[in-house]
Amino acid sequence: MKPIIIVENLSKQYRLGNIGTGTLSHDLRRWYHRMRGLEDPYLKIGETNDRTKKGTSEYVWALKDINFEVMPGEILGIIGKNGAGKSTLLKILSKVTGPTTGGIHYNGRIASLLEVGTGFHPELTGRENIYLNGAILGMTKTEIKSKLDEIIDFSGVERYIDTPVKRYSSGMMVRLGFAVAAHLEPEILVVDEVLAVGDAEFQKKAIGKMQDVSNKEGRTVLFVSHNLSSIEKLCHRTIVLKNGGINFEGKTNEAIRSYLANMSNQSKNIMENIIILDEVVLIKKVTVNESECQNIIITGNNSTLEVRIIGTLYEKQNMCFEILLKNEREEPLALFNKEFAEFEMPTYEAGEFEIVRKISLPKKMNKGIYFIDIQLTKPLEKFYVLISNAITLNCSGYISNSGFTYRYKDAGVMLLE
């Protein structure tokens, strides 16, 4: 079977600074080299797209040497950290912008949902925008009309369909945008993280529709998301982007494992993720097992954490210490809050304070990566401090006396005694 999308040596370069498209001198130099049949001189320079580091070049490669193919009816996932190049890749695939080098070969029409309001004219009504998008895709008025009721019903915005979309909320805009893109029968559907704007009910509905589009109608879907559960549930194959290049390409479960392992290896200070939600408290230091490093390797036979928080209170407060254990998809697994469970609310006087807690994790945990949030709260009322993904636990799994390692994802998080 012939691929519906072929991406060959695709690269995209941007110039940093106030002038994004270059200067007159750069344009003249490019023109001079092009007239002589020489390579663009500015393609020989440029740095990797690592947003965390200051570079010396004013040129950066948002994408560099991307190669992959997508087959008809396939759902391809694309994951990576913010700034990895996911949105740039989708914009090039959707023909919103062009590549610097390389090319893409298509074999079908493309509908895209890249951000809230993509393809909509704010002054036109929802109904008029449906016809506009259909016309752009090359559909006749009769074809669009036959799909109109289905689009309106799926979007759930029937009451506002004859109202200009500039008065729609972002959630309503996404609902209508996805309904239009999915129902107007493009051969290729490109969906960015924009679905996160919708509510949980609509996200579930949209994922179901993308599955139907692929499995029943044989259309191709390119899906970008930070929700790894959705990626795993929906995608046949996944690409992991890192600093503008392909870091991994293969089966979705293996791609997610590679992505999470790469993130856990980039160990940072626990305090980097801290959010102070009430200025009555100041946190000075947080350690786990006497280390300020996020990444901790544990075994299922030895899984005790000692968390120490040092800070200052400007007023007397009742506070509880909590930790939230999450799986690799950041879904909650367990909450540890000794004081709240025993109906004891500790009181801390104004001034310096230190909280030390020892937490015993389940001894027979499944092999994998887990995350822990650290929280200071007044349960059911307010949060004082939240440190999201403060700790990354790299669990080697429970190892029995016979050498058996508990590592079966479909069997649950822990082995019960």
Side-chain angles (χ1 to χ4, degrees):
M1 187 182 297
K2 186 178 178 182
I4 194 167
I5 300 175
I6 301 174
V7 178
E8 294 181 320
N9 302 319
L10 188 73
S11 299
K12 181 66 176 179
Q13 187 187 69
Y14 288 108
R15 182 172 185 263
L16 303 178
N18 293 328
I19 305 173
T21 57
T23 63
L24 180 60
S25 63
H26 286 193
D27 289 342
L28 288 172
R29 194 172 177 200
R30 280 193 168 111
W31 173 83
Y32 176 74
H33 278 72
R34 189 166 60 248
M35 292 298 291
R36 296 183 62 194
L38 301 175
E39 184 183 6
D40 187 332
Y42 295 102
L43 298 185
K44 298 177 183 178
I45 59 176
E47 296 177 332
T48 302
N49 185 26
D50 187 349
R51 59 187 168 81
T52 64
K53 298 178 182 177
K54 184 174 177 63
T56 56
S57 173
E58 60 182 351
Y59 289 91
V60 65
W61 290 102
L63 294 171
K64 185 68 172 175
D65 296 330
I66 303 294
N67 292 276
F68 64 89
E69 295 180 354
V70 188
M71 303 303 292
E74 184 179 11
I75 304 180
L76 178 69
I78 302 173
I79 59 177
K81 295 198 303 181
N82 291 334
K86 303 183 301 296
S87 295
T88 301
L89 176 59
L90 291 197
K91 285 178 180 178
I92 295 174
L93 287 166
S94 304
K95 303 180 182 180
V96 174
T97 186
T100 305
T101 62
I104 305 174
H105 304 283
Y106 305 90
N107 188 24
R109 296 176 299 182
I110 299 176
S112 304
L113 189 61
L114 301 181
E115 56 189 50
V116 177
T118 298
F120 283 175
H121 192 295
E123 298 296 336
L124 299 180
T125 67
R127 189 186 304 273
E128 290 167 340
N129 270 295
I130 293 173
Y131 279 100
L132 173 63
N133 276 265
I136 291 171
L137 282 172
M139 299 177 68
T140 65
K141 188 174 182 180
T142 304
E143 288 176 319
I144 301 168
K145 194 172 183 179
S146 67
K147 294 282 184 180
L148 189 63
D149 291 340
E150 195 177 348
I151 291 171
I152 295 171
D153 180 63
F154 186 90
S155 68
V157 296
E158 183 174 3
R159 186 172 184 180
Y160 304 93
I161 199 64
D162 292 310
T163 300
V165 296
K166 67 180 179 181
R167 298 195 176 97
Y168 285 19
S169 69
S170 58
M172 291 167 61
M173 197 90 80
V174 166
R175 281 174 166 267
L176 186 59
F178 180 82
V180 169
H183 286 83
L184 290 184
E185 299 188 350
E187 284 75 26
I188 303 165
L189 179 61
V190 178
V191 182
D192 204 343
E193 181 63 23
V194 68
L195 284 184
V197 176
D199 54 37
E201 177 262 335
F202 180 71
Q203 288 182 32
K204 185 176 179 181
K205 193 175 178 182
I207 287 172
K209 180 62 180 176
M210 284 191 278
Q211 288 174 326
D212 289 344
V213 161
S214 173
N215 298 334
K216 296 179 182 179
E217 302 173 30
R219 288 187 269 159
T220 302
V221 180
L222 274 66
F223 182 49
V224 165
S225 179
H226 289 288
N227 187 328
L228 300 183
S229 295
S230 297
I231 289 284
E232 187 174 46
K233 187 184 302 181
L234 188 64
C235 301
H236 310 144
R237 187 166 57 97
T238 297
I239 289 173
V240 181
L241 291 182
K242 180 182 178 182
N243 297 337
I246 293 180
N247 185 249
F248 183 90
E249 179 182 356
K251 292 181 180 179
T252 296
N253 59 344
E254 295 175 2
I256 290 174
R257 198 176 302 124
S258 170
Y259 170 63
L260 292 172
N262 184 61
M263 287 187 67
S264 65
N265 288 335
Q266 296 174 358
S267 194
K268 298 185 293 185
N269 189 292
I270 294 172
M271 293 283 286
E272 288 189 29
N273 290 344
I274 193 167
I275 301 174
I276 305 294
L277 298 169
D278 191 325
E279 293 184 358
V280 73
V281 63
L282 172 67
I283 302 299
K284 297 180 179 178
K285 188 175 183 180
V286 180
T287 64
V288 179
N289 294 351
E290 300 183 351
S291 171
E292 297 180 43
C293 181
Q294 274 187 337
N295 195 25
I296 296 176
I297 297 175
I298 63 170
T299 66
N301 302 344
N302 180 22
S303 48
T304 300
L305 302 177
E306 183 182 85
V307 181
R308 185 182 303 270
I309 301 177
I310 301 172
T312 302
L313 275 173
Y314 299 110
E315 298 175 13
K316 180 179 177 179
Q317 296 291 327
N318 295 324
M319 292 191 306
C320 281
F321 167 81
E322 295 180 344
I323 73 167
L324 180 67
L325 177 66
K326 303 182 293 186
N327 64 14
E328 60 186 13
R329 294 164 191 80
E330 300 194 26
E331 299 165 334
L333 298 176
L335 180 70
F336 297 82
N337 185 333
K338 183 176 182 292
E339 294 92 347
F340 186 57
E342 297 177 357
F343 299 99
E344 296 176 358
M345 184 76 74
T347 300
Y348 296 89
E349 301 293 334
E352 301 290 320
F353 72 91
E354 182 176 9
I355 301 174
V356 181
R357 293 288 184 275
K358 284 190 176 181
I359 299 107
S360 295
L361 296 172
K363 289 184 178 180
K364 298 181 180 180
M365 287 179 67
N366 206 334
K367 181 175 182 177
I369 294 171
Y370 301 86
F371 299 103
I372 284 181
D373 292 355
I374 296 175
Q375 304 165 173
L376 291 181
T377 73
K378 192 170 185 179
L380 308 179
E381 287 190 35
K382 65 189 294 186
F383 282 86
Y384 293 96
V385 176
L386 171 62
I387 312 179
S388 182
N389 295 348
I391 308 166
T392 301
L393 298 178
N394 202 327
C395 183
S396 61
Y398 167 71
I399 304 174
S400 69
N401 293 332
S402 63
F404 165 78
T405 301
Y406 180 56
R407 62 171 78 198
Y408 299 100
K409 291 292 182 185
D410 57 351
V413 178
M414 67 189 77
L415 185 65
L416 296 177
E417 298 184 17

